[in-house]
Amino acid sequence: MDLFNAFIQILDSTIRLSVPLLLACLAGLYSERAGIFDIGLEGKMLVGAFAGAAAASVFHSALLGLGMAILISVAFAMIHGFASITHRGNQIVSGVAINFIAAGSTIMLGQHWFQQGGRTPALAPGERFGAITWPGADALRDVPILGPIYAELISGHSILVYIAFLMVPFTWWVLFRTRFGLRLRAVGENPAAVDTAGISVAWLRYRALICTGVLTGIAGAYLSMVQNGGFVKDMTAGKGYIALAALIFAKWKPVNAMFACLLFGFLDALSIRLQGTPLPVIGKVPVQFMQALPYVLTVILLAGFIGKAIPPRAGGVPYVKER
Amino acid sequence: MAQAAIELIGINKSFGAVRANRDINLEIVRGTIHGIVGENGAGKSTLMSILYGFYQADSGEIRVGGKPASIKTPNDAIALGIGMVHQHFMLVDNFTVLENVILGAESDALLTKSIAKARSELERLEREYGLEVDPDAIIEELPVGLQQRVEILKALYRGAEILILDEPTGVLTPAEADHLFRILKQLKEQGKTVVLITHKLREIMAITDTVSVMRQGTMVATRETRKTTVEELAELMVGRRVLLRVEKGEAEAGGVKLAVKNLTVKDSRGVTMVDDISFDIRAGEIVGIAGVAGNGQSELLEAISGIRRAVSGSVMLDGKPIDLTGAADPGELRDRGLAHVPEDRHHVGLVLAFEENENSILGYHDDPRYLKGPFLDIDAIRNDARDKITKYDIRPADCRLKTANFSGGNQQKIVLAREMEQDPGVLIVGQPTRGVDVGAIEFIHKRLIAMRDQGKAVLVVSVELDEIRSLSDRILVMFAGRIVGERGPEATEGELGLLMAGVEQREAAE
Ligand SMILES: Nc1ncnc2c1ncn2[C@@H]1O[C@H](COP(=O)(O)OP(=O)(O)OP(=O)(O)O)[C@@H](O)[C@H]1O
Ligand SMILES: [Mg+2]
């Protein structure tokens, strides 16, 4: 029974840890499906996290915080768009620049505004997104097996967690069942076909980037307003890059993306859980090794275990009219 | 009185220093098939792209149905009932036919509804015009002929009254081309207007009502088709008399340069494409391989040039074997004097994003002539490129221009110039004049024959029977991966046509 409970707890933290990955991964999916590489997911999440926590603590409102996170993150996505769509700049360079600007500006503004070494003030409960307890969760907690699953895994998360998982079927539906999705996929494969069909390539790509910005904004808000009670410098800690790896791993498909992110979240949860615990046979594993595990696995998986991942064909190439 | 579907008045368009269209006036009568011919780079595609709103004219006026029209985007053109099938298809390769057809013209924000509506409409169009395609097939799995039908369906689905086709037959087999012409005639009977750009004057004579000739950005003449001749059109295009069939003397064949023995090649799906083929090519002769596209010619070429793995058999170059494992070093083959002009210049022959001079030495960049120590000798490369541009009349004569910005025929000349100027002992050419104008065809044919007369061995693969017949000293006909017959240059078109259709083989089997 103890083992079962431990397992449930690991799964529970798997969910919590995969949420920012999942939101960022879906964010990347919108832009890369539209043919814009976005290495700046990391930076957009970071500014989202900062703007969310800052606004929430100043205005004492979680919702305003979320709104601000989305707004600023979308603004950064538009900078990426301006550089890489309108001015046909290199998408990788623009993305990296966004990451640098995000890392620097959040610390600088944080220090300037709040004087707490780049942190934002700790958020009060009303300024964060609290856990939502589902009806009957407490009553059912003691039912064997199903009780903990319902009470721990399904109930008791913040609204952003549910939003993140609902975004999976929603994204699938948008991509494969709507006109916008058809055009978005087409522009990532062959923008000239979209152009000659009478649709604006630039506007379509900008719209995809808006979707990206909204999702990275929510991901950032989750980090600073749910997982943590405030912004801490560099709190994204490479999640934007892991999300990109998950995206490739998922072959740019929404449902696959969810499983990929859950897998990475699970590894993360496992490494936290096993820190300092001696394992049978191997003995005590150094913390650093466990922390490195998700990244090592990413490399291994990407290097050969997922078969050929074919990215959208026009990915990374600015669109210029020509034959 | 005949009514004008489209009037172009004083159209000008420049790309940097290149004046692609100057003061073009053109009237296209409703319900006719109007041909446009002209040399490579004459500005045909540009003019039509302006009409379709893909490019903007620098000045000039467009009238559609008598009314002045402002066409700023393809959307405006579509709204005015203008549809276009581009020289290079504008399809999303991994979408289905249906998805490609509705892209940009979806009736509804939800796909399921749009697709359901489109499906019945598409079926009606397919029936009405004989344009059968499986609506659920994935584009990249369709042969080019069918991909082109999808392009036509796209235009018709958008309610096109005026259909522009830019070199539609360049990639088609003769049978597919015939089918296309039947479709175009049907469109005309239904009152639609068709604009057809082509380099094949025979097609112009066969199907158009009126024909306009462009030369170096200007419109030089418009003729009623039945009142003109192929010779007159060719002369108008090039500005001088053109030999439609190049004169050549008897071949003086020498020793065997290239010997192919029992060669068998399979494609990526494991289907046998080249089936136990043997033949020799001697110094000083041109051997032509005729056949309907898709009968193994491409695979044969690729195997001989070391790009594709052969299952069995051997190929000897000057008595020494060529590595047929598919891992042959193309550089080594070049050193041994085997030059290859690939069929698909876009994907295999050129890096479109490179400048012309870079492409003109691609593959020969290790040659000491182009090197200064470990570095490329830029000046030598550019001078060399300029020489080739002059010699092969590549236009525009700018070796710094990005290759993608050359017209289709000029891109072909860049590849030909590169390979022929290396003075190879054996030259293998796939579709030497695909998309090339009559003047350039004459020039390329003359060059090939000159190479032969210098004692080179030349292998030409072409789906154009005329070309095979006028170039070859010996003609091999391929059908279903086998060589089904060998003929001399005097063979008639009918005789070769029957062989190409596999008729004799069937008789022999009976
Ligand atoms: N986007 C572009 N940028 C620069 N130059 C261009 C561009 N498009 C076309 N040109 C130039 O304009 C001229 C006309 O080109 P166009 O493609 O209209 O010729 P074309 O008559 O269709 O030739 P072809 O028969 O070889 O297809 C050429 O010299 C070409 O190099
Ligand atoms: Mg053209």
Side-chain angles (χ1 to χ4, degrees):
Chain A
M1 209 59 217
D2 259 2
L3 203 65
F4 178 73
N5 279 336
F7 188 60
I8 288 286
Q9 264 162 25
I10 290 185
L11 288 188
D12 188 38
S13 43
T14 296
I15 289 178
R16 290 167 204 275
L17 290 168
S18 30
V19 165
L21 291 181
L22 180 56
L23 286 166
C25 188
L26 293 176
L29 197 138
Y30 280 94
S31 76
E32 298 218 340
R33 277 281 189 163
I36 306 283
F37 284 160
D38 198 351
I39 211 159
L41 293 176
E42 177 86 2
K44 287 199 278 286
M45 261 203 286
L46 197 63
V47 292
F50 175 75
S57 77
V58 172
F59 303 115
H60 308 294
S61 156
L63 268 184
L64 268 181
L66 179 67
M68 193 54 85
I70 291 175
L71 198 71
I72 299 296
S73 173
V74 169
F76 270 69
M78 292 301 96
I79 296 175
H80 187 47
F82 189 64
S84 62
I85 303 171
T86 307
H87 286 287
R88 306 193 186 106
N90 184 305
Q91 299 169 7
I92 304 296
V93 173
S94 159
V96 169
I98 281 182
N99 287 343
F100 278 123
I101 295 171
S105 62
T106 49
I107 298 175
M108 191 185 74
L109 290 176
Q111 176 62 14
H112 185 69
W113 286 339
F114 304 107
Q115 272 106 33
Q116 296 185 10
R119 289 167 172 267
T120 60
L123 294 176
E127 298 162 357
R128 302 176 58 180
F129 288 100
I132 300 172
T133 310
W134 285 38
D138 289 322
L140 290 173
R141 188 174 298 275
D142 296 326
V143 177
I145 315 281
L146 290 181
I149 289 181
Y150 183 70
E152 296 283 338
L153 288 189
I154 297 180
S155 162
H157 293 290
S158 109
I159 179 80
L160 297 189
V161 173
Y162 301 112
I163 289 180
F165 282 92
L166 282 176
M167 282 318 290
V168 175
F170 179 73
T171 299
W172 178 87
W173 179 81
V174 167
L175 276 185
F176 297 101
R177 286 291 176 270
T178 69
R179 171 168 68 196
F180 173 62
L182 182 80
R183 294 177 175 187
L184 187 135
R185 283 182 290 133
V187 82
E189 293 288 335
N190 185 358
V194 170
D195 196 0
T196 50
I199 312 164
S200 159
V201 171
W203 172 225
L204 193 51
R205 288 187 160 170
Y206 268 111
R207 277 185 290 170
L209 283 188
I210 291 175
C211 298
T212 304
V214 170
L215 288 174
T216 45
I218 302 177
Y222 178 83
L223 287 176
S224 67
M225 298 166 62
V226 176
Q227 239 177 24
N228 213 351
F231 177 83
V232 185
K233 71 168 189 170
D234 289 334
M235 71 186 308
T236 42
K239 289 194 176 59
Y241 300 112
I242 291 281
L244 276 183
L247 186 59
I248 297 170
F249 188 37
K251 299 186 180 175
W252 295 269
K253 294 196 176 106
V255 179
N256 290 1
M258 180 180 77
F259 287 117
C261 292
L262 281 173
L263 175 67
F264 288 131
F266 176 73
L267 288 173
D268 214 3
L270 202 64
S271 73
I272 294 170
R273 176 86 191 178
L274 294 182
Q275 267 173 31
T277 334
L279 284 180
V281 191
I282 322 171
K284 211 168 141 183
V285 182
V287 183
Q288 288 81 358
F289 177 79
M290 290 312 289
Q291 281 169 342
L293 200 60
Y295 301 87
V296 173
L297 190 82
T298 307
V299 171
I300 295 174
L301 288 176
L302 288 184
F305 283 89
I306 52 163
K308 206 166 159 216
I310 303 165
R313 267 164 243 186
V317 195
Y319 177 58
V320 187
K321 266 187 200 209
E322 65 187 18
R323 283 84 39 92
Chain B
M1 197 193 81
Q3 204 197 349
I6 291 174
E7 287 157 275
L8 297 173
I9 302 154
I11 300 282
N12 277 291
K13 173 75 185 175
S14 301
F15 295 104
V18 181
R19 289 191 66 187
N21 286 160
R22 5 183 154 191
D23 277 321
I24 302 271
N25 293 308
L26 177 66
E27 186 183 314
I28 294 166
V29 178
R30 184 178 302 277
T32 62
I33 300 184
H34 194 118
I36 298 183
V37 295
E39 288 179 286
N40 296 124
K44 307 177 295 292
S45 298
T46 305
L47 186 64
M48 289 304 123
S49 298
I50 289 170
L51 181 53
Y52 188 62
F54 195 63
Y55 291 140
Q56 287 282 294
D58 300 334
S59 65
E61 190 186 332
I62 302 175
R63 289 195 198 153
V64 179
K67 284 187 228 76
S70 137
I71 304 181
K72 295 218 166 56
T73 64
N75 230 351
D76 298 336
I78 293 167
L80 288 165
I82 301 174
M84 179 156 179
V85 176
H86 292 261
Q87 196 165 356
H88 305 294
F89 297 157
M90 298 292 184
L91 297 169
V92 182
D93 285 346
N94 56 0
F95 277 21
T96 65
V97 170
L98 211 48
E99 286 172 330
N100 268 289
V101 167
I102 62 169
L103 182 67
E106 306 88 342
S107 55
D108 202 281
L110 293 185
L111 273 192
T112 12
K113 279 192 202 164
S114 312
I115 286 186
K117 249 188 227 165
R119 191 181 292 276
S120 51
E121 172 68 7
L122 199 63
E123 270 161 16
R124 187 185 69 77
L125 288 172
E126 290 192 6
R127 242 178 298 120
E128 201 163 317
Y129 299 105
L131 282 161
E132 286 85 13
V133 203
D134 171 11
D136 298 308
I138 305 285
I139 295 295
E140 58 198 350
E141 287 164 7
L142 293 176
V144 275
L146 288 186
Q147 293 188 6
Q148 186 173 61
R149 281 189 205 174
V150 179
E151 285 279 26
I152 298 174
L153 281 170
K154 253 169 81 174
L156 294 178
Y157 182 75
R158 288 160 167 73
E161 284 300 317
I162 301 155
L163 187 67
I164 307 166
L165 296 114
D166 194 352
E167 285 188 41
T169 55
V171 292
L172 298 186
T173 64
E176 284 173 328
D178 284 345
H179 191 128
L180 174 69
F181 290 152
R182 279 201 297 281
I183 293 166
L184 296 185
K185 285 204 180 116
Q186 214 157 347
L187 286 169
K188 177 179 141 183
E189 272 157 31
Q190 311 253 352
K192 308 222 187 245
T193 311
V194 176
V195 182
L196 176 72
I197 300 179
T198 178
H199 286 295
K200 300 179 190 167
L201 297 177
R202 260 218 279 186
E203 296 175 349
I204 292 286
M205 302 311 289
I207 186 170
T208 62
D209 300 302
T210 322
V211 51
S212 296
V213 185
M214 287 183 76
R215 184 165 78 220
Q216 297 188 14
T218 58
M219 192 60 80
V220 290
T222 296
R223 295 273 189 277
E224 253 178 84
T225 308
R226 54 190 178 81
K227 291 193 183 150
T228 185
T229 60
V230 169
E231 286 74 19
E232 188 197 13
L233 289 177
E235 197 171 332
L236 282 168
M237 272 167 71
V238 187
R240 61 174 168 83
R241 271 188 52 89
V242 182
L243 292 175
L244 293 172
R245 189 164 175 159
V246 176
E247 301 291 326
K248 67 175 202 280
E250 280 292 309
E252 288 172 29
V256 173
K257 293 287 283 180
L258 190 81
V260 176
K261 230 188 197 94
N262 304 112
L263 190 70
T264 298
V265 183
K266 294 190 172 171
D267 71 1
S268 50
R269 291 162 300 171
V271 179
T272 304
M273 294 304 288
V274 176
D275 193 359
D276 196 24
I277 279 188
S278 304
F279 62 91
D280 289 341
I281 309 174
R282 298 166 178 280
E285 70 169 351
I286 298 179
V287 175
I289 295 191
V292 176
N295 276 288
Q297 304 98 309
S298 311
E299 288 77 9
L300 177 67
L301 276 188
E302 288 171 5
I304 297 177
S305 49
I307 306 175
R308 185 183 281 275
R309 196 175 76 88
V311 181
S312 60
S314 68
V315 179
M316 307 289 253
L317 175 60
D318 293 322
K320 277 182 248 119
I322 285 180
D323 178 3
L324 293 176
T325 57
D329 177 1
E332 188 208 311
L333 288 180
R334 289 203 174 93
D335 290 343
R336 285 169 62 185
L338 180 91
H340 173 211
V341 177
E343 285 183 305
D344 184 348
R345 56 176 177 261
H346 262 143
H347 290 108
V348 189
L350 294 165
V351 182
L352 290 177
F354 279 13
E355 290 176 8
E356 193 275 341
N357 64 81
E358 295 170 311
N359 270 307
S360 81
I361 58 147
L362 201 69
Y364 299 97
H365 47 269
D366 285 339
D367 194 302
R369 272 179 300 161
Y370 306 129
L371 296 178
K372 218 193 255 163
F375 302 107
L376 289 174
D377 184 348
I378 302 290
D379 288 335
I381 292 173
R382 291 194 185 146
N383 285 332
D384 184 81
R386 279 184 207 112
D387 286 347
K388 287 178 192 157
I389 285 177
T390 321
K391 196 159 168 192
Y392 286 79
D393 191 23
I394 296 167
R395 289 181 221 174
D398 176 4
C399 73
R400 300 291 315 274
L401 192 69
K402 208 168 119 180
T403 311
N405 290 338
F406 282 86
S407 72
N410 281 300
Q411 290 176 354
Q412 175 78 340
K413 288 200 229 167
I414 296 172
V415 182
L416 279 162
R418 177 179 76 206
E419 301 298 336
M420 287 190 177
E421 285 305 296
Q422 297 301 325
D423 199 26
V426 179
L427 179 67
I428 302 178
V429 195
Q431 317 300 346
T433 56
R434 176 175 281 172
V436 170
D437 66 56
V438 281
I441 290 178
E442 177 192 20
F443 174 79
I444 290 168
H445 284 186
K446 276 188 181 158
R447 291 288 314 155
L448 285 170
I449 289 167
M451 290 196 76
R452 177 199 80 164
D453 293 341
Q454 288 163 24
K456 320 285 186 196
V458 182
L459 177 66
V460 172
V461 172
S462 172
V463 292
E464 300 292 335
L465 257 188
D466 283 348
E467 173 161 87
I468 293 281
R469 287 175 58 219
S470 71
L471 275 179
S472 312
D473 300 309
R474 285 191 292 135
I475 302 172
L476 306 175
V477 182
M478 262 184 101
F479 174 75
R482 291 174 157 273
I483 290 178
V484 292
E486 180 177 333
R487 294 288 186 274
E490 69 290 340
T492 64
E493 199 176 322
E495 187 181 355
L496 292 172
L498 283 179
L499 280 172
M500 282 165 67
V503 171
E504 239 187 33
Q505 208 188 28
R506 242 174 277 149
E507 280 168 4
E510 270 165 23

